[in-house]
Amino acid sequence: MEFGWDERQSKHRVRVRDVLARELPPDWDDIAVHGPGSDAQTEFSKGFCRKLAEERLLISHWPKAWGGDDVTVWDQFIQGEELWAAGEPRGPQYMNVNWIGPVLLKYGNAAQKAEYLPQIAAGSVIWCQGFSEPSAGSDLASLRTKAEKVEGGYLVNGAKIWTSYARLATHCFLLARTASTGKAAIVILLLDMKSPGVQVKQIPALIGEGDIHEVFFTDVFVPEQNRLGEEGQAWEIITYALQNERIGIPRYAFSRRILDRAAEKLKEDGRFENPIIRDRLGRAVALCEAARMMVYRVVDQRAKQAPPDAYGNLARWAIIKADHAVSDFMTEYMPEGLLGEDQMQIAHHQRAIAAGIASGAAEIQLNLAARRYLDLPGEPRPAEPRPEGRR
Ligand SMILES: Cc1cc2nc3c(=O)[nH]c(=O)nc-3n(C[C@H](O)[C@H](O)[C@H](O)COP(=O)(O)OP(=O)(O)OC[C@H]3O[C@@H](n4cnc5c(N)ncnc54)[C@H](O)[C@@H]3O)c2cc1C
């Protein structure tokens, strides 16, 4: 197979690069190092997303009827690669456009679409995803947060954990259950984070300022019209969201950029000729490119509207391996960057720490691939990996 971009796709990439060159300020690295959940990056991202919207690049993969341009999944991906390689200046809003919006487009009713989609398209809101709980991570279906049916809606009680961007979020894509067991009892509630009874507590972490949180719900009333889909349909919707998400984050593009910069610096310092360094660097580059090719295979399937297969899980695994290899290389051979010389290296390192846990643990990807490819017997099927709603 020979893989190449056609002229239109190449032009699209150049256009995105031009916008980035124009819109990223000289101190962007210093902003990015604070992390997408930080005040600094959120402020910047709001303005940046509005600019992307003006350039018709924020939601270009959405249908024309909702303000998009119906661009292909490949175009969407080219854009994602460029934005991630630049350190993802959309901040938390990548989640809005990559999977919240598409899920609302498919499953939202007319009122929900009219309310939420224009806000996302304008870059003026931040959604968080309320999936994980203290005893429901990989096994998502065991979540316990209660949504008791009451007159006109649901009364929510419970707690979520590791919720990215909750402190800044205006809305939450919340999973709760109407009965104590069973996937059919799970409901998806589109929650206004300002609702009385919602309490957000930040969890101090190494992975960026203000990134992860606990969220507590005490008698939070959610009107029935804020339920996404029918009762009993939530698992189908979650599965669809995961498919959208799986090709959403080209993290290898960021890893590759970090390596390219490292190679330049090593050349300047006269260390590039060291055979051990070249070998290690080459291995890390190979892992990034392997991840890229595996992800392209998933994108190709998607473009052909083929059903998702285990390749998505293997591609996620490859991305995690690449992230870790780059982070290890940089720590070993360019530790000065982590000590404060290179803000982007620090930002990459922070994201790599969470790779393999966030968005569904690495081992779960292997479990799913083993079951799907090798038909291995297993324990009761664990939940699908989580959408990559953060780094
Ligand atoms: C930076 C960060 C941001 C996050 N943001 C969000 C967010 O915005 N919203 C949200 O809902 N969640 C979020 N999460 C939570 C994330 O989705 C979970 O951490 C992840 O799904 C793993 O769940 P857990 O932490 O409960 O670990 P567990 O599921 O308890 O897993 C612990 C370990 O056991 C292994 N394990 C578990 N089950 C199996 C099995 N069947 N076979 C083999 N190994 C297994 C796992 O691979 C893992 O290594 C975030 C996490 C991080 C680190």
Side-chain angles (χ1 to χ4, degrees):
M1 180 184 83
E2 189 182 320
F3 184 83
W5 301 106
D6 66 25
E7 201 187 325
R8 195 192 47 74
Q9 289 166 331
S10 301
K11 278 189 183 156
H12 185 55
R13 191 181 287 280
V14 169
R15 177 158 174 248
V16 180
R17 281 189 186 167
D18 285 348
V19 171
L20 283 166
R22 201 174 63 230
E23 299 301 336
L24 292 187
D27 64 345
W28 162 238
D29 286 12
D30 297 327
I31 297 173
V33 74
H34 292 281
S38 65
D39 291 332
Q41 192 173 337
T42 303
E43 253 338 285
F44 172 79
S45 299
K46 280 184 191 159
F48 181 79
C49 286
R50 278 197 294 272
K51 283 269 166 17
L52 277 188
E54 281 164 28
E55 294 279 345
R56 303 197 62 75
L57 287 174
L58 185 63
I59 52 152
S60 47
H61 55 293
W62 288 17
K64 286 207 165 81
W66 287 100
D69 281 324
D70 271 323
V71 303
T72 66
V73 67
W74 283 111
D75 285 356
Q76 178 193 357
F77 218 72
I78 288 168
Q79 193 172 319
E81 281 189 342
E82 293 304 318
L83 291 165
W84 271 84
E88 189 42 281
R90 288 175 296 185
Q93 292 196 45
Y94 68 84
M95 235 160 67
N96 293 2
V97 295
N98 275 356
W99 74 265
I100 302 268
V103 166
L104 292 173
L105 279 163
K106 186 167 166 74
Y107 290 101
N109 60 33
Q112 289 166 345
K113 287 181 190 171
E115 179 173 359
Y116 300 119
L117 293 175
Q119 298 169 352
I120 295 178
S124 61
V125 284
I126 293 177
W127 282 74
C128 63
Q129 81 183 39
F131 287 18
S132 302
E133 297 181 5
S135 56
S138 303
D139 184 12
L140 181 59
S142 66
L143 67 92
R144 289 187 191 162
T145 294
K146 269 196 339 201
E148 185 192 340
K149 285 185 91 167
V150 293
E151 178 77 35
Y154 300 88
L155 209 54
V156 178
N157 280 285
K160 296 287 167 181
I161 194 165
W162 314 125
T163 320
S164 298
Y165 323 125
R167 185 177 63 94
L168 309 161
T170 49
H171 301 81
C172 180
F173 192 97
L174 177 69
L175 306 190
R177 53 168 60 256
T178 54
S180 52
T181 53
K183 282 181 187 167
I186 296 175
V187 285
I188 299 171
L189 301 175
L190 307 174
L191 175 83
D192 180 342
M193 286 293 278
K194 289 212 175 68
S195 309
V198 177
Q199 194 199 350
V200 176
K201 196 171 151 208
Q202 194 171 317
I203 303 174
L206 292 172
I207 51 169
E209 292 164 25
D211 196 81
I212 45 180
H213 308 82
E214 287 175 281
V215 186
F216 300 96
F217 306 90
T218 311
D219 289 339
V220 178
F221 177 73
V222 182
E224 188 162 6
Q225 64 261 29
N226 285 32
R227 188 192 64 231
L228 184 65
E230 299 303 321
E231 285 195 1
Q233 203 187 3
W235 204 254
E236 174 197 328
I237 300 176
I238 295 165
T239 307
Y240 176 76
L242 295 163
Q243 290 165 20
N244 265 308
E245 206 356 89
R246 225 169 254 145
I247 62 149
I249 302 192
R251 298 164 68 112
Y252 56 80
F254 191 31
S255 288
R256 181 62 206 261
R257 176 194 165 189
I258 295 294
L259 280 185
D260 289 347
R261 284 165 39 136
E264 288 308 312
K265 181 130 198 325
L266 288 165
K267 282 178 193 164
E268 277 167 27
D269 297 350
R271 290 196 287 156
F272 191 68
E273 295 311 316
N274 178 323
I276 296 172
I277 290 183
R278 286 171 76 114
D279 174 76
R280 292 288 309 278
L281 183 73
R283 284 168 192 263
V285 170
L287 283 169
C288 289
E289 292 312 302
R292 183 194 304 277
M293 285 303 134
M294 293 181 78
V295 169
Y296 283 178
R297 161 57 157 83
V298 179
V299 177
D300 187 47
Q301 289 292 99
R302 182 106 196 267
K304 291 172 180 154
Q305 302 194 333
D309 59 17
Y311 234 87
N313 306 110
L314 293 176
R316 285 279 318 281
W317 171 260
I319 289 174
I320 294 165
K321 297 299 276 183
D323 263 0
H324 288 170
V326 173
S327 178
D328 288 351
F329 175 83
M330 298 299 289
T331 306
E332 193 165 350
Y333 294 104
M334 309 198 77
E336 62 280 7
L338 287 182
L339 294 174
E341 269 187 27
D342 184 345
Q343 302 300 308
M344 267 307 165
Q345 183 183 338
I346 296 172
H348 178 272
H349 188 75
Q350 289 171 337
R351 286 160 173 77
I353 291 174
I357 306 168
S359 319
E363 292 77 9
I364 301 299
Q365 309 303 319
L366 293 183
N367 275 358
L368 290 167
R371 198 173 357 258
R372 286 172 173 169
Y373 262 145
L374 306 174
D375 203 20
L376 291 180
E379 294 301 306
R381 189 186 177 91
E384 292 281 303
R386 214 59 48 75
E388 186 126 13
R390 60 218 74 96
R391 35 276 177 71

